Amino acid sequence: MSHERMANLVRALAMDAVEQAKSGHPGLPMGAADVATVLFTQFLKFDPSDPHWADRDRFVLSAGHGSMLIYALLYLTGYEAMTLEQIKRFRQLGSITAGHPEYGHTPGIETTTGPLGQGLATAVGMAIAEKHMAAVFGDTVVDHKTYVLASDGDLMEGISHEAIALAGHLKLNKLIVLFDDNGISIDGALSLSDSTDQVKRFEACGWASWRIDGHDPQAIAAALAKAQKSDKPVMIACRTTIGYGAPTKAGKSSSHGSPLGADEIKGAREKLGWTHTPFEVPPDILSAWREAGARGKPVHAAWTKRLAALGDKRAEFERRMRGEISDAALTKAVREIKEKLAASPKEIATRTACEFALESLIPALPEMIGGSADLTGSNNTRTKSMQAITPADFSGRFIHYGIREFGMAAAMNGMALHGGIVPYSGTFLVFSDYSRPAIRLAALMGVRAIHILTHDSIGLGEDGPTHQPVEHLAALRAIPNLMVFRPCDAVETAECWELALRAKDRPSAMALTRQNLPQLRNRLDEDNICAQGAYEIAGPDGPASVSIFATGSEVSIAVDAAKKLAEKGVAARVVSVPCFELFFEQPDDVRAAIIGNARVKIGVEAAVRMGWDAIIGADGIFVGMHSFGASAPYKELYKHFGITAEAIADAALKKL
Ligand SMILES: Cc1ncc(C[n+]2csc(CCOP(=O)(O)OP(=O)(O)O)c2C)c(N)n1
């Protein structure tokens, strides 16, 4: 079967599906069909009968708008779930051919793409994960590549720079980027807004990079063959024509993101020599594609034998790839931490409590890989025993991500998606804005990536308002499926870590303090009390007329306020709310009991009020931030902004 016929079937399916849906992007699939056909028929190692095969090559269509390309490839190579019927239902509710590739929604999709640049940055994490797993389990069972198809848009996004710099630094030579170098974006020619020499840029970042004709199958194959042997990551700039084959729209932005229209499609069929009706799949071409899809079967079978030969390590490899944390190891580690804290309570910052917890968690859970965006000493995410991952040795468990918050968060997604790793990282809470789009994708995909976000309020003090988050907790809580933890002491920090680790299908953000906090929970609780999201941490024996709800560093302030109220004869209880999301997921009666029916409800958090009304009601009192912070020693700031025990008690008394 000729390459041309096979590639043209991809083009035909893409233009027909977009036409039928009356929406979508035909230009990229038509332009990149040659590159993708060579990759999928000659190089990519995969087995459509097992989309989760651990040693498959990963393919990331970073330019997710070209989704019809990957849907067509999955169908043609024989992924069972991807039927022609699904292709015909492109972009319709309930189909697996959504508008952009979605992980978990469509078998064979390795990561959700659409937000340009992130696919590439996620792939960097996959390539790191491959190297680490190979270092731990050996290259007889872990030896695969990560391929990315990236567009101009992917490479224009700032995130691409963080990603390629990190990949170049780490010499991720099994990462191969195919750049769909078509010189066109939505507004028109790329020359309207960009004149970067991408090959030089990648070379400057430590990549091997060169240009080829992206419509010449021999050139594509030769480049991919050369890339296999590289000692650096590889970027192949494939010169293509967007909308290849369309008579008047090829090479123009008009083929980028809308149906070609009946006349243009008719013309494209003529130009491509495609005599078939819409959605017609010539059996001989399909069978050539299916044959290409079956290439991986014997390779997979041979791998299965090598896996069996792994002996004792096999079960551990499989456990890690399934993402199942050892319940016994985690339970034991958390118990150990809590016992130590009960025996000798610690007045420490929660960032320090995090490190204290990690000292037990890291040896217990070998799948945890930590890191920091150049704030290692401030985030306390590296324990003493952790070795750094380096280009020469990937067996380490700590990544110096550099000052690349977004690249870090995207790479974490890639590691989690690859499997075998539970990534966590550190930066300041205020800079979660920089990593937010990747945190959002983690939540959308349902992957376990754990973000340690320290210096979580005005409590960081003298670095001032540029570094003091005020709206970030609310902003993170607004992301569906993300758990935002704000523990109040060392015990809660350990419990929140346990919850984050056990949540296999969701990411977490943990806001931790710079300043020391008293340990409020001094007895040993067998259960994870934070699992409910909120609980009464202090209160009178009888009914209370004031309920104070607080998180993190403000819980101890709330406890002091309750004491002041008690001195005035007012019974007040304090509810610690380490995780809004877990609290809101409780049954109504549990929630109602925790909220209680005190006459006065007060929320205390050194951040903006947004989100708090769900707990304290619209008529509740909120003690927190109403503006940006300021630079000063933190105790002065708490006084200045009125977040004190006196202020809380006064507000309660006024309202009673
Ligand atoms: C972060 C982000 N910004 C904007 C968009 C909207 N968008 C989709 S494709 C595209 C650019 C298209 O140009 P290119 O990447 O070269 O793709 P091609 O036209 O070659 O298909 C834009 C701006 C997006 N998907 N992601």
Side-chain angles (χ1 to χ4, degrees):
M1 179 56 56
S2 76
H3 162 87
E4 201 186 355
R5 300 267 295 154
M6 293 177 81
N8 281 344
L9 177 51
V10 173
R11 294 188 171 103
L13 286 173
M15 60 184 179
D16 290 344
V18 171
E19 194 67 17
Q20 172 136 317
K22 297 190 182 64
S23 114
H25 301 76
L28 184 142
M30 294 175 78
D34 291 311
V35 171
T37 299
V38 173
L39 176 65
F40 272 67
T41 59
Q42 298 178 44
F43 290 91
L44 196 74
K45 179 172 80 170
F46 66 113
D47 179 359
S49 71
D50 183 2
H52 302 291
W53 171 25
D55 200 32
R56 69 192 183 279
D57 287 343
R58 302 327 194 242
F59 172 73
V60 174
L61 177 63
S62 191
H65 60 275
S67 62
M68 256 319 298
L69 178 71
I70 181 84
Y71 297 149
L73 293 165
L74 294 177
Y75 160 61
L76 293 171
T77 53
Y79 285 76
E80 202 182 355
M82 187 57 80
T83 59
L84 188 60
E85 198 46 44
Q86 289 290 346
I87 303 268
K88 289 181 183 167
R89 295 187 53 223
F90 179 50
R91 295 190 153 217
Q92 305 310 305
L93 193 65
S95 78
I96 61 168
T97 46
H100 290 82
E102 290 179 36
Y103 171 77
H105 187 74
T106 312
I109 299 296
E110 303 285 3
T111 181
T112 298
T113 53
L116 288 166
Q118 275 206 68
L120 169 59
T122 305
V124 170
M126 293 177 182
I128 295 173
E130 193 271 349
K131 291 262 186 201
H132 175 76
M133 291 298 278
V136 175
F137 292 97
D139 60 9
T140 60
V141 288
V142 186
D143 183 11
H144 52 267
K145 304 231 160 21
T146 305
Y147 292 95
V148 180
L149 188 81
S151 65
D152 294 303
D154 284 305
L155 301 195
M156 285 172 91
E157 290 290 351
I159 175 76
S160 75
H161 203 72
E162 298 182 23
I164 69 173
L166 183 60
H169 170 73
L170 288 174
K171 296 193 170 48
L172 299 175
N173 64 319
K174 291 163 104 175
L175 175 65
I176 300 170
V177 172
L178 297 155
F179 166 30
D180 182 35
D181 180 14
N182 63 22
I184 292 288
S185 67
I186 293 177
D187 279 4
L190 209 65
S191 56
L192 290 171
S193 57
D194 196 56
S195 40
T196 305
D197 183 330
Q198 294 292 358
V199 167
K200 283 195 184 141
R201 179 167 79 113
F202 276 76
E203 281 174 350
C205 292
W207 290 54
S209 185
W210 63 93
R211 292 191 170 81
I212 62 163
D213 174 353
H215 294 301
D216 175 351
Q218 268 86 36
I220 300 164
L224 282 168
K226 181 173 153 187
Q228 309 293 310
K229 299 186 211 94
S230 176
D231 57 359
K232 299 170 179 174
V234 175
M235 190 280 263
I236 306 166
C238 309
R239 174 54 70 168
T240 63
T241 302
I242 190 169
Y244 182 93
T248 70
K249 296 186 176 177
K252 296 190 187 138
S253 61
S254 51
S255 72
H256 160 86
S258 28
L260 295 178
D263 289 348
E264 188 77 4
I265 288 181
K266 188 163 166 279
R269 283 186 139 74
E270 280 162 18
K271 223 171 155 63
L272 295 169
W274 192 255
T275 53
H276 311 283
T277 55
F279 295 110
E280 185 185 336
V281 178
D284 57 333
I285 310 182
L286 180 63
S287 94
W289 267 109
R290 290 285 152 94
E291 224 171 87
R295 282 184 307 118
K297 254 216 161 1
V299 185
H300 187 177
W303 175 84
T304 307
K305 283 206 187 106
R306 293 199 299 279
L307 181 68
L310 209 56
D312 293 349
K313 274 174 136 182
R314 178 191 172 162
E316 173 65 4
F317 176 76
E318 290 183 326
R319 178 189 72 74
R320 282 179 59 170
M321 288 305 293
R322 281 196 307 272
E324 274 166 21
I325 278 190
S326 160
D327 177 50
L330 178 55
T331 304
K332 185 163 167 273
V334 174
R335 166 110 201 167
E336 182 182 294
I337 302 161
K338 285 164 84 170
E339 275 172 0
K340 282 186 194 160
L341 292 172
S344 63
K346 291 187 182 306
E347 178 157 343
I348 51 177
T350 44
R351 64 173 172 149
T352 314
C354 173
E355 185 178 349
F356 181 75
L358 287 172
E359 291 288 357
S360 294
L361 293 170
I362 291 297
L365 305 180
E367 55 268 65
M368 288 176 72
I369 301 261
S372 170
D374 202 48
L375 289 166
T376 304
S378 301
N379 299 144
N380 300 55
T381 46
R382 183 175 182 174
T383 63
K384 286 171 200 72
S385 69
M386 290 171 92
Q387 298 297 315
I389 280 178
T390 68
D393 182 1
F394 277 83
S395 67
R397 295 182 54 193
F398 189 85
I399 300 177
H400 290 285
Y401 284 102
I403 307 100
R404 304 183 180 107
E405 295 81 8
F406 190 6
M408 170 171 78
M412 290 164 70
N413 291 348
M415 282 184 253
L417 289 163
H418 176 280
I421 290 174
V422 176
Y424 74 91
S425 71
T427 186
F428 290 159
L429 176 57
V430 81
F431 302 135
S432 62
D433 280 344
Y434 279 45
S435 39
R436 183 178 180 84
I439 298 177
R440 178 177 194 270
L441 267 197
L444 177 60
M445 292 189 282
V447 300
R448 178 174 43 196
I450 302 171
H451 295 267
I452 300 302
L453 302 164
T454 68
H455 297 59
D456 70 350
S457 75
I458 53 165
L460 66 85
E462 296 85 342
D463 270 329
T466 58
H467 282 52
Q468 292 160 351
V470 288
E471 76 279 29
H472 298 73
L473 289 168
L476 288 169
R477 286 172 184 147
I479 299 178
N481 199 40
L482 173 70
M483 292 195 290
V484 183
F485 294 103
R486 192 164 187 252
C488 76
D489 70 357
V491 177
E492 280 199 1
T493 304
E495 290 188 346
C496 291
W497 253 114
E498 181 179 19
L499 294 167
L501 287 164
R502 286 196 193 279
K504 195 175 160 195
D505 301 324
R506 52 203 296 201
S508 298
M510 212 183 297
L512 302 175
T513 67
R514 173 176 186 253
Q515 74 273 28
N516 286 349
L517 303 176
Q519 185 175 318
L520 299 175
R521 299 242 310 265
N522 293 331
R523 63 177 194 277
L524 178 65
D525 292 303
E526 299 284 338
D527 295 333
N528 189 320
I529 309 294
C530 290
Q532 270 194 160
Y535 64 96
E536 188 173 301
I537 195 164
D541 293 333
S545 43
V546 177
S547 279
I548 312 172
F549 303 85
T551 76
S553 40
E554 284 69 73
V555 177
S556 57
I557 297 174
V559 169
D560 287 346
K563 284 181 194 149
K564 286 194 190 303
L565 286 168
E567 283 161 18
K568 302 237 153 105
V570 175
R573 61 196 276 271
V574 177
V575 176
S576 175
V577 194
C579 182
F580 275 34
E581 296 76 23
L582 289 176
F583 178 56
F584 294 145
E585 285 163 21
Q586 296 304 311
D588 289 354
D589 57 329
V590 175
R591 255 194 351 252
I594 292 171
I595 289 180
N597 44 21
R599 268 168 57 206
V600 175
K601 295 192 187 78
I602 307 178
V604 191
E605 183 167 74
V608 299
R609 177 173 181 142
M610 185 178 283
W612 271 93
D613 289 14
I615 294 175
I616 58 174
D619 59 346
I621 298 167
F622 183 72
V623 175
M625 296 298 290
H626 305 276
S627 66
F628 292 114
S631 175
Y634 86 89
K635 286 185 180 160
E636 282 179 40
L637 290 174
Y638 271 87
K639 268 195 212 113
H640 176 75
F641 289 105
I643 307 174
T644 60
E646 294 75 24
I648 298 166
D650 286 351
L653 291 171
K654 221 182 265 166
K655 183 107 177 185
L656 275 168

